[in-house]
Amino acid sequence: MSGSLGYVETQRVVLATPDDPLRFRAGGRLDHVEVAYETYGRLNEARDNAVFVTHALTGTAHAAGLHLGAKKRGWWDTMIGPGKPVDTDRFFVISPNILGGCSGTTGPLSIDPATGRAYCLDFPMLHMSDLVAVHRRLLAHLGIERLYAGVGGSLGGMQILQWVIDDPAAIERAVLVAASSQLTTENIALSTVAREAIMNDPDFVNGRYVEQGVFPWRGQKVARMMAHINYVSGQALEEKFGRRRRSAGDAWELGPDFEVEHYLQHQGNTFLDRFDALSYLYLTRLLDYFDPFAEPATAQALGSTTTRFQVTSFDSDWRFDTGQSKRLVERLEGLGVDVDFAELHSTQGHDSFLLEPAGYHERVAAFLA
């Protein structure tokens, strides 16, 4: 019988020092990298039951359970816990905040020890391998040599794919949900408009807004409102809001009136309280450049791996549609990789990977069994 975890705590560890700096794929280095992470379940004596969970664009280390004094459970609490697909009665689960984030792990707003100021736009450009390099350091810190599984949705799935490329022997099973190996032109176009909204906000101040005591909330709110439309489906919006309005009679106005407009206003406003604009810029740009099968070393790396992949898409997802998953599967199978693929039905769009569409949890549970 499945249940939920109780109270959990976020831990922190320093994984890069001046004697062992983190060197970035595109150039640059960090002499101090701190990582926020959580663990659930117990590591067995053989140290072979570890499952690494990687989060999507705006996620945190808090994937499951409840923080003391909080009301909201972890972002993947439906997936992780006793008797759930990522079963904490069986697995030792590791969930970190990613490099470049703003929820405890070093990112653009972190202080540069060399200057005493926030990095801001001096933070190095991110490659997916940089995120994975930090994950691998965390694993070494925990004394784990090989993962039973790596599990991720959206950007999380891309991290797992890159991990197998960078270290083909590190992961036994790779679970990729609603992910892509190459963003579509449309996705890149939408992301650049979001970044323009942030960078052209009068309070962006060339990225040094924190030093001026301001925040580019107007631009970030617009960016999130637009992005959120990508995460849901047209059907879900229609069913939830239709053309319902708040104004009475024949009154027309320029401000928010339709219920869907108020919903997006809410999404934009709540995002301001939990995420930073610079992290949003860096991580969306990371996604744009991700194209591992264009790199010559990828074929050799994946051609030698014994990692088994499970790739899942949802038929209403237009952020990372099924065509992108199929392209990924074809590339993997073309290199002789073992892949289990399925498209599942859901009316909830890209956010389906966070929810419980029919057959989804059963599919992941069976693969991890």
Side-chain angles (χ1 to χ4, degrees):
M1 184 175 178
S2 63
S4 292
L5 293 166
Y7 291 115
V8 299
E9 293 183 358
T10 302
Q11 304 173 64
R12 286 174 170 79
V13 62
V14 174
L15 295 177
T17 64
D19 293 331
D20 184 22
L22 179 68
R23 299 186 186 277
F24 284 69
R25 175 80 173 267
R29 60 182 269 179
L30 291 180
D31 290 344
H32 181 88
V33 174
E34 185 173 346
V35 173
Y37 70 100
E38 295 185 1
T39 64
Y40 322 114
R42 291 186 178 182
L43 187 63
N44 63 19
E45 277 192 40
R47 310 182 84 80
D48 63 359
N49 70 328
V51 174
F52 206 101
V53 171
T54 48
H55 68 70
L57 178 64
T58 63
T60 69
H62 183 42
L66 193 64
H67 284 166
L68 191 63
K71 295 181 180 180
K72 189 174 183 180
R73 304 190 69 85
W75 57 267
W76 224 358
D77 196 73
T78 57
M79 180 69 74
I80 303 166
K84 294 180 180 180
V86 182
D87 188 352
T88 52
D89 288 336
R90 295 180 54 210
F91 301 126
F92 177 65
V93 182
I94 307 154
S95 172
N97 183 221
I98 60 174
L99 180 70
C102 53
S103 299
T105 294
T106 297
L109 279 190
S110 299
I111 300 300
D112 180 354
T115 65
R117 303 172 67 195
Y119 289 103
C120 297
L121 293 179
D122 291 330
F123 196 77
M125 291 296 293
L126 292 166
H127 186 283
M128 202 71 69
S129 285
D130 301 323
L131 276 59
V132 171
V134 176
H135 294 335
R136 294 169 70 182
R137 288 186 180 219
L138 177 58
L139 209 61
H141 166 74
L142 295 171
I144 300 169
E145 294 183 357
R146 191 167 191 261
L147 290 169
Y148 180 80
V151 183
S154 192
L155 169 58
M158 300 178 206
Q159 294 168 59
I160 300 301
L161 172 60
Q162 185 69 58
W163 196 332
V164 177
I165 294 168
D166 291 348
D167 189 354
I171 301 176
E172 184 176 334
R173 293 167 170 81
V175 177
L176 279 58
V177 188
S180 176
S181 63
Q182 182 191 74
L183 263 63
T184 63
T185 308
E186 180 183 45
N187 269 304
I188 295 171
L190 289 168
S191 291
T192 197
V193 174
R195 288 191 296 272
E196 282 290 308
I198 292 171
M199 291 189 288
N200 284 289
D201 187 300
D203 286 332
F204 185 65
V205 200
N206 198 32
R208 295 212 163 264
Y209 48 85
V210 67
E211 297 174 350
Q212 305 297 320
V214 296
F215 186 82
W217 64 268
R218 301 170 187 84
Q220 182 168 321
K221 178 180 176 181
V222 170
R224 180 61 175 183
M225 289 171 68
M226 184 177 66
H228 194 77
I229 300 170
N230 298 334
Y231 302 149
V232 296
S233 70
Q235 181 179 349
L237 290 174
E238 181 67 31
E239 291 176 352
K240 189 171 184 178
F241 304 109
R243 290 181 55 83
R244 292 194 303 278
R245 297 167 52 193
R246 291 193 180 180
S247 62
D250 296 328
W252 286 11
E253 55 189 83
L254 291 177
D257 182 13
F258 291 92
E259 289 293 346
V260 69
E261 294 177 298
H262 286 280
Y263 168 71
L264 291 175
Q265 289 283 333
H266 170 74
Q267 292 295 330
N269 286 326
T270 56
F271 188 58
L272 300 176
D273 295 330
R274 69 179 184 86
F275 212 75
D276 174 62
L278 285 169
S279 287
Y280 196 83
L281 297 179
Y282 273 85
L283 295 174
T284 57
R285 199 54 165 159
L286 162 75
L287 283 165
D288 292 345
Y289 282 121
F290 185 59
D291 191 8
F293 290 103
E295 300 182 10
T298 296
Q300 181 177 355
L302 290 178
S304 68
T305 190
T306 58
T307 302
R308 295 167 50 204
F309 279 77
Q310 182 186 75
V311 177
T312 304
S313 68
F314 301 100
D315 58 5
S316 59
D317 183 355
W318 65 284
R319 165 71 165 160
F320 297 146
D321 61 81
T322 294
Q324 296 181 62
S325 289
K326 286 183 176 178
R327 182 181 60 222
L328 165 60
V329 169
E330 289 171 1
R331 294 295 187 94
L332 290 171
E333 290 180 337
L335 295 170
V337 178
D338 184 340
V339 187
D340 166 34
F341 169 69
E343 178 191 58
L344 300 182
H345 173 64
S346 171
T347 63
Q348 300 303 313
H350 185 63
D351 275 353
S352 297
F353 82 92
L354 297 169
L355 306 173
E356 299 182 67
Y360 170 37
H361 281 198
E362 294 82 357
R363 173 173 167 74
V364 174
F367 188 71
L368 294 181

